[in-house]
Amino acid sequence: FLEAFESLLRFAENRTSSLFETAYRPMAKEAAEPVKELFTDISLYILGAETTVESAVLRFFDSLFPLVYSRLINPGITDLSEDYTECLRLTRQDVNPFGRYSKNMVTELSKSLWASRMLSRALSLGIEVINTTEHAALTKECSRALVKMQYCPHCQGLTLIRPCVGYCLNVMRGCLASVSELDAQWREYISTLEYLTNEMAASHDLEIALSGIRNSINEAILHAQLNGPQLSATV
């Protein structure tokens, strides 16, 4: 899961970076860092960090606004002071240069990333449980019963003969009595995993959500450009 997730993130980040390199070259170099930070925040969120999708997306658009304002809307501005740039960044939500597109991006990403975050946490929990139960202590009687269950016919060369189901169940009940109480919770856990994976393959498809970041950013920038004169007056 983590390998697939990291691969999707890298693909989406490269795809987003290519948007600036091809369509918005005047700001491509400066936009590289905000794009990198956005996908780093998304990665940390899925891995369980105490952050939110909304804060990651809005922080990205806060950083993007000064670049769009000085490189696309007012390309005649050669350089903005640090104070002016910071002022633009801090007032982005009040000026609202990107219209509804910034909030739409939050909505579109939140559901898919939440499902991925829950699946990541669930898989980590499963690993902990497995590691704990894997080292359950066995008594000598249990060890002998397990050996007898698996190899007794082999001693006579009858390798295809399996022990009867009743004997297997008795041995397993006796040997796994200490962890058998996990059965109901474990079945519920597996059921939850199945639900999450089904959700991620349907309405919360992670690949579609991450691939859509490029288009959402493009639409937001186009909206700002179309309203350039009004934005300049407001600023």
Side-chain angles (χ1 to χ4, degrees):
F1 168 75
L2 289 178
E3 287 179 2
F5 150 66
E6 289 170 1
S7 177
L8 285 175
L9 262 186
R10 285 194 299 270
F11 174 77
E13 182 175 352
N14 291 336
R15 196 164 177 271
T16 303
S17 296
S18 71
L19 168 68
F20 292 95
E21 293 165 2
T22 56
Y24 305 108
R25 188 171 292 276
M27 54 185 287
K29 186 176 180 180
E30 295 167 294
E33 190 60 30
V35 169
K36 182 179 179 181
E37 289 177 354
L38 170 64
F39 283 92
T40 298
D41 287 343
I42 289 174
S43 175
L44 291 173
Y45 171 78
I46 292 179
L47 294 175
E50 291 300 321
T51 184
T52 65
V53 174
E54 182 177 22
S55 64
V57 171
L58 296 185
R59 183 160 55 247
F60 167 76
F61 281 111
D62 288 346
S63 300
L64 189 66
F65 179 39
L67 301 179
V68 172
Y69 182 79
S70 62
R71 298 293 181 265
L72 301 180
I73 296 175
N74 295 290
I77 299 177
T78 55
D79 194 22
L80 290 180
S81 67
E82 290 186 11
D83 288 342
Y84 202 98
T85 299
E86 185 66 8
C87 178
L88 288 174
R89 193 183 69 80
L90 292 175
T91 57
R92 195 274 310 167
Q93 294 190 51
D94 295 325
V95 177
N96 193 28
F98 302 113
R100 69 181 188 278
Y101 295 103
S102 57
K103 291 185 178 179
N104 285 354
M105 185 167 153
V106 172
T107 303
E108 291 167 4
L109 283 175
S110 292
K111 294 179 181 178
S112 297
L113 295 184
W114 176 85
S116 300
R117 176 183 171 96
M118 291 300 102
L119 181 58
S120 177
R121 293 177 66 177
L123 290 172
S124 297
L125 177 62
I127 291 171
E128 291 181 17
V129 175
I130 289 172
N131 287 339
T132 300
T133 57
E134 192 176 39
H135 298 94
L138 299 178
T139 63
K140 287 184 178 181
E141 292 76 11
C142 183
S143 297
R144 289 183 185 133
L146 285 171
V147 171
K148 183 178 179 182
M149 182 179 75
Q150 291 186 350
Y151 297 108
C152 186
H154 287 226
C155 299
Q156 301 173 29
L158 305 175
T159 57
L160 298 179
I161 296 180
R162 298 178 180 179
C164 68
V165 175
Y167 179 68
C168 287
L169 288 175
N170 286 335
V171 171
M172 299 311 287
R173 286 193 186 104
C175 293
L176 301 178
S178 59
V179 294
S180 62
E181 60 189 35
L182 291 174
D183 183 62
Q185 289 82 356
W186 186 257
R187 290 177 186 274
E188 184 177 349
Y189 166 75
I190 295 299
S191 177
T192 302
L193 283 184
E194 290 175 344
Y195 168 76
L196 285 172
T197 52
N198 288 334
E199 284 292 297
M200 289 178 64
S203 59
H204 300 123
D205 191 296
L206 180 61
E207 184 173 3
I208 293 176
L210 291 176
S211 297
I213 291 176
R214 174 192 167 109
N215 293 335
S216 295
I217 293 173
N218 186 42
E219 289 173 348
I221 294 175
L222 289 174
H223 177 84
Q225 285 183 290
L226 288 172
N227 293 278
Q230 182 182 345
L231 277 175
S232 294
T234 303
V235 168

